[in-house]
Amino acid sequence: MIFHHVFGLYDLPAGVDTAWIAPWLTKYAPIFKICVPIFIFITGYAIGWKTDSSSTFGSLIKTGFSHYLKFWKIYFLCLLLAILVSWAFPMSVLPSVADMSWKNGLLVLTGLRPCYPDWWYMALFAVATMALYPICAWITHNIAPVPAMVALLGVSLFLQSMAHIPGLPGIAYSFPPFLPCFIFGYMCAFLASRLSTLSTSHRLGAVLLLALELLSIHLFSFSKIETLMTVIFLFTLWCLPWVTRKLRLTPLLKLLGTYSALMWLNHRFIFGYHFSWSLYGTQSISVVFVVTLVSSLLLAMVMQKLFNRMIPQNLLMRSTSL
């Protein structure tokens, strides 16, 4: 994601070092927009494993809200920082709190209206956890596994068809291509958790439905290269335990995974709207990328420590157990 934002989101300023590697990286950087479907796939996969034991729709909505709330606490801490940074370095990207209506302020506070354009993922996450998760979980609680997979595929196709509805409001245009990736992740986890209990014919049927879901995402949501990147990612995810043991990468991946949400939210303070190139005193895009990556990780660590001090540990433990 940071690679895409540094190399692929903006035109390079005049005078920036364009060594032989930079034009190639800039050309292919947009491919790394695949990070969004990867993030939402992982969300669906993780929640699919943690499905609430209760089958009532009310309890499933409550569980979905608890997942959103964990993310929102991190978002709120970054929102406070965004307000401070915007006050110190005013920009039109983040409207003044004084000029904001109560309705827009409430939407910004909940994450349903992003104050930074690339924070739109917060709204996608809210829809996925608080609306789509209860629907998927209710289906898998109340319908046999293979028919449940058929129903989930039907929900996915309905969401993809929404992209063609005229007059869909604002940010919601971004949702139809990505929410099927959430369903795909949920279907993978659901199938994996029940695979041993299914007959051979039912296993084959469920795998076929999984393949149809991936095919529908390819046909209606993403380009060939994005679909290829998704398949590569899924294959990598499958191989990851073996690869990380061989290369001893597990501690590094755990570190990046622990702070990934905060890095996504905070890297814009380091590179982008407020500071950009002038902050570094360098014209090398490679240096900018490395500095952004490392400094956003360090800032994430500091923010996590601050977050742990602000929120009592017993409250954190209770939230984690929800």
Side-chain angles (χ1 to χ4, degrees):
M1 174 197 65
I2 294 176
F3 184 94
H4 164 61
H5 283 169
V6 173
F7 284 93
L9 204 58
Y10 302 114
D11 292 329
L12 299 183
V16 167
D17 172 24
T18 53
W20 67 271
I21 193 69
W24 184 84
L25 293 176
T26 304
K27 179 181 178 181
Y28 291 102
I31 293 173
F32 287 88
K33 287 190 290 186
I34 197 69
C35 62
V36 176
I38 286 173
F39 286 163
I40 202 68
F41 169 86
I42 291 174
T43 301
Y45 188 84
I47 292 179
W49 276 105
K50 295 182 178 179
T51 301
D52 197 305
S53 58
S54 174
S55 61
T56 64
F57 203 66
S59 68
L60 295 172
I61 291 175
K62 182 179 177 182
T63 301
F65 178 75
S66 73
H67 285 295
Y68 163 76
L69 189 60
K70 294 174 193 175
F71 200 3
W72 179 85
K73 291 173 184 176
I74 296 173
Y75 166 80
F76 180 69
L77 187 63
C78 289
L79 180 62
L80 293 178
L81 181 58
I83 292 171
L84 291 174
V85 172
S86 181
W87 174 76
F89 304 93
M91 284 193 71
S92 59
V93 175
L94 184 63
S96 166
V97 175
D99 298 334
M100 192 179 295
S101 68
W102 69 267
K103 181 180 178 181
N104 285 337
L106 184 61
L107 290 174
V108 167
L109 181 64
T110 57
L112 298 179
R113 179 181 181 271
C115 58
Y116 288 134
D118 42 313
W119 281 13
W120 69 271
Y121 183 82
M122 186 66 191
L124 176 66
F125 184 83
V127 171
T129 53
M130 292 194 291
L132 191 53
Y133 162 75
I135 294 171
C136 293
W138 186 90
I139 288 172
T140 53
H141 270 105
N142 293 281
I143 305 177
V146 175
M149 295 277 282
V150 174
L152 291 174
L153 177 60
V155 173
S156 177
L157 291 172
F158 171 75
L159 289 171
Q160 291 173 69
S161 69
M162 287 179 62
H164 305 287
I165 297 176
L168 203 63
I171 196 174
Y173 271 115
S174 304
F175 295 168
F178 295 112
L179 288 175
C181 295
F182 174 89
I183 294 178
F184 184 51
Y186 187 95
M187 289 172 73
C188 288
F190 173 69
L191 177 59
S193 65
R194 287 160 175 76
L195 199 60
S196 60
T197 64
L198 298 178
S199 66
T200 302
S201 60
H202 283 172
R203 288 181 190 178
L204 291 173
V207 170
L208 176 61
L209 289 165
L210 206 58
L212 288 174
E213 169 66 354
L214 184 60
L215 179 62
S216 74
I217 291 173
H218 165 63
L219 291 175
F220 302 116
S221 297
F222 297 112
S223 65
K224 291 180 180 179
I225 188 64
E226 289 172 322
T227 304
L228 177 63
M229 289 289 289
T230 303
V231 172
I232 292 172
F233 162 72
L234 293 174
F235 180 75
T236 305
L237 189 68
W238 180 61
C239 297
L240 206 55
W242 181 84
V243 173
T244 54
R245 282 196 301 270
K246 289 292 183 181
L247 300 180
R248 299 181 180 179
L249 294 175
T250 301
L252 175 62
L253 292 177
K254 283 185 176 180
L255 178 71
L256 293 173
T258 299
Y259 297 107
S260 58
L262 276 167
M263 289 175 70
W264 162 60
L265 288 161
N266 75 32
H267 78 282
R268 274 308 193 205
F269 306 132
I270 300 160
F271 173 81
Y273 302 114
H274 297 286
F275 303 116
S276 195
W277 301 88
S278 60
L279 176 68
Y280 302 101
T282 178
Q283 292 297 307
S284 170
I285 191 172
S286 302
V287 171
V288 170
F289 169 66
V290 172
V291 172
T292 302
L293 188 64
V294 173
S295 55
S296 65
L297 175 59
L298 293 176
L299 179 58
M301 292 176 174
V302 172
M303 294 178 76
Q304 187 64 54
K305 286 187 179 293
L306 178 63
F307 178 76
N308 291 341
R309 288 193 176 187
M310 290 172 59
I311 309 292
Q313 286 301 308
N314 60 344
L315 189 60
L316 276 174
M317 293 293 291
R318 195 176 0 163
S319 172
T320 305
S321 65
L322 285 176

